[in-house]
Amino acid sequence: MIPAAFEYVAPTSVEEALAALAEHGDDAKIIAGGQSLLPVLRMRLNAPEWVIDLGRIDSLRGVRDGGDHLVIGAMTTHHDVGRDPLVHEHALLISKAITHLADAQVRHRGTFGGALAHADPAGDLGAPALALGSTFVVQGPGGTREIPGADFFVDLFETAISDDEILTEVRVPKHDGWGASYEKFVRIAHQWPIVAVAATVRLEGDTIAEARVGLTNMGSTPLRAHAVEEALAGRPATEDAVAGAAALVADGTNPPSDLNGDADYRRHIATVMTRRAVLAAAGRG
């Protein structure tokens, strides 16, 4: 289907983009890589009068070292994030997750910030970003502000970004020396995950000193599995110990029921995938 007619503007700075957003307000939509918005426009599920394209704002691209964290520009493509050596060294979990994200075509066009701002609970980046304790930086008429990961995802397709703000970068704390795994359960390749688990683990000898676990499609937003993390801390990296902790993964979740499986099915799959992800992250997979 052909989208409804709209006006198009492609600013070259964040300030220009914010000015266009302020001018057109509710009649405008921001487009980043377009992998989520374009299908919506083609199906006429949304018909904005203006589309503001961030693709020409070079300052929103790239990965850089921020000291104790990495700074990932919101318009950096999934492909570039996944292949970046800084990400592989300091935030391995994100590199692992991106290898499972859609297909090569989407990874070359879709953007890191665009996917996170879209806030699809079945998206592959929310859980890793939460697990790593990321901070989201947005810019608006009042300046720049930082949103902690725990406060960023509000509800289904809803974030803490205000209508007059733009996500500019994501700051990811470094997790040097942590093992990582992203385990994704799908029926067919490149599908949205029915359930996925992002796990990163720091070992001291054969003991799990710390663990971070994020859940995909186990509620209306990405989630942290805090009960699992607490149960893993100080435990040996063995099959039995990890399985015992993984049994807690459904605590505090509210998985959907749909054609791919009901909520109980997802709870069971999450338990299995958590065990696999943690063991793989600990090098025991």
Side-chain angles (χ1 to χ4, degrees), residues 58-162:
D58 293 337
S59 64
L60 296 182
R61 289 194 181 88
V63 179
R64 69 179 190 273
D65 194 320
D68 62 352
H69 62 275
L70 297 181
V71 180
I72 304 177
M75 287 297 293
T76 313
T77 65
H78 304 309
H79 171 266
D80 288 349
V81 173
R83 292 174 61 89
D84 192 281
L86 287 174
V87 176
H88 190 270
E89 179 181 359
H90 301 298
L92 181 60
L93 182 56
I94 288 176
S95 292
K96 295 274 189 177
I98 286 177
T99 64
H100 294 276
L101 193 154
D103 54 31
Q105 180 175 341
V106 170
R107 291 193 294 271
H108 276 79
R109 291 293 304 170
T111 65
F112 190 74
L116 289 167
H118 185 54
D120 188 333
D124 288 302
L125 294 181
L130 274 184
L132 292 174
S134 301
T135 298
F136 298 80
V137 181
V138 299
Q139 187 171 335
T144 298
R145 67 186 180 102
E146 300 178 6
I147 305 173
D151 300 327
F152 183 75
F153 298 103
V154 175
D155 206 342
L156 186 72
F157 299 111
E158 182 183 353
T159 71
I161 305 173
S162 297

Side-chain angles (χ1 to χ4, degrees), residues 204-227:
E204 291 180 355
D206 293 327
T207 300
I208 298 173
E210 296 180 84
R212 302 287 182 269
V213 180
L215 305 177
T216 301
N217 218 7
M218 286 294 288
S220 61
T221 67
L223 299 170
R224 279 276 294 274
H226 292 290

Side-chain angles (χ1 to χ4, degrees), residues 29-77:
K29 278 289 183 182
I30 290 175
I31 188 168
Q35 301 308 292
S36 299
L37 181 60
L38 285 177
V40 169
L41 297 183
R42 287 173 62 87
M43 291 185 287
R44 300 203 177 192
L45 298 176
N46 200 310
E49 294 183 14
W50 285 82
V51 170
I52 303 170
D53 187 351
L54 304 183
R56 296 182 185 176
I57 305 179
D58 293 337
S59 64
L60 296 182
R61 289 194 181 88
V63 179
R64 69 179 190 273
D65 194 320
D68 62 352
H69 62 275
L70 297 181
V71 180
I72 304 177
M75 287 297 293
T76 313
T77 65

